[in-house]
Amino acid sequence: MGSAGECPADLLCDIIAEPGGRVLLRTRIKRILVENGRAAGVETAIGRVHRAPVVVANGDVVSMLTDLVGEQHLTARYLEKLRTMRRGPSAILLS
C-alpha cells in the first residue's frame, strides 16, 4: 500500500492493484462492455479490449451510463431519471 503523504488517487490505485486489479490511467474509453446485464470490461478509444469482472470508471454518471454503457442497456424509466438529474462536482471518500 502507499506511503504517508501519498495522493489519495495513488492509494486507490494501490487498493485496486493489491488483489490483482489493473488501473488504466490516461486512457480514453470508447465503451463499457456489457454482457448479460453486467459490466464485462472496457474498450479503449484505440480499440483495445480489457475484460474485467468489475469496472470502476471516473466520470459523471449521466455520461458514463448513456455514452459508455449505452442507452440500450437502460430501462426507459431509469433513462428518464438520468436525463432529469442535475450534474454537479464529483467527490470521493476513502476511509
Side-chain angles (χ1 to χ4, degrees):
M1 201 88 68
S3 61
E6 206 170 350
C7 150
D10 293 333
L11 294 175
L12 183 58
C13 288
D14 289 347
I15 290 167
I16 292 169
E18 189 173 305
R22 289 187 20 205
V23 178
L24 303 175
L25 300 173
R26 296 183 239 343
T27 304
R28 184 169 297 277
I29 300 300
K30 179 179 179 180
R31 68 185 174 119
I32 295 174
L33 306 173
V34 177
E35 295 173 357
N36 300 317
R38 297 181 55 104
V42 297
E43 179 183 355
T44 68
I46 61 170
R48 287 187 112 167
V49 172
H50 299 273
R51 301 193 76 59
V54 176
V55 173
V56 178
N58 177 25
D60 82 88
V61 68
V62 176
S63 295
M64 218 172 320
L65 290 173
T66 58
D67 298 338
L68 298 180
V69 169
E71 294 182 9
Q72 70 274 20
H73 297 289
L74 308 173
T75 65
R77 183 177 177 200
Y78 192 66
L79 189 54
E80 184 58 35
K81 187 173 185 173
L82 282 175
R83 289 186 174 138
T84 62
M85 289 179 80
R86 184 172 169 225
R87 298 181 192 198
S90 64
I92 186 168
L93 172 65
L94 301 173
S95 58

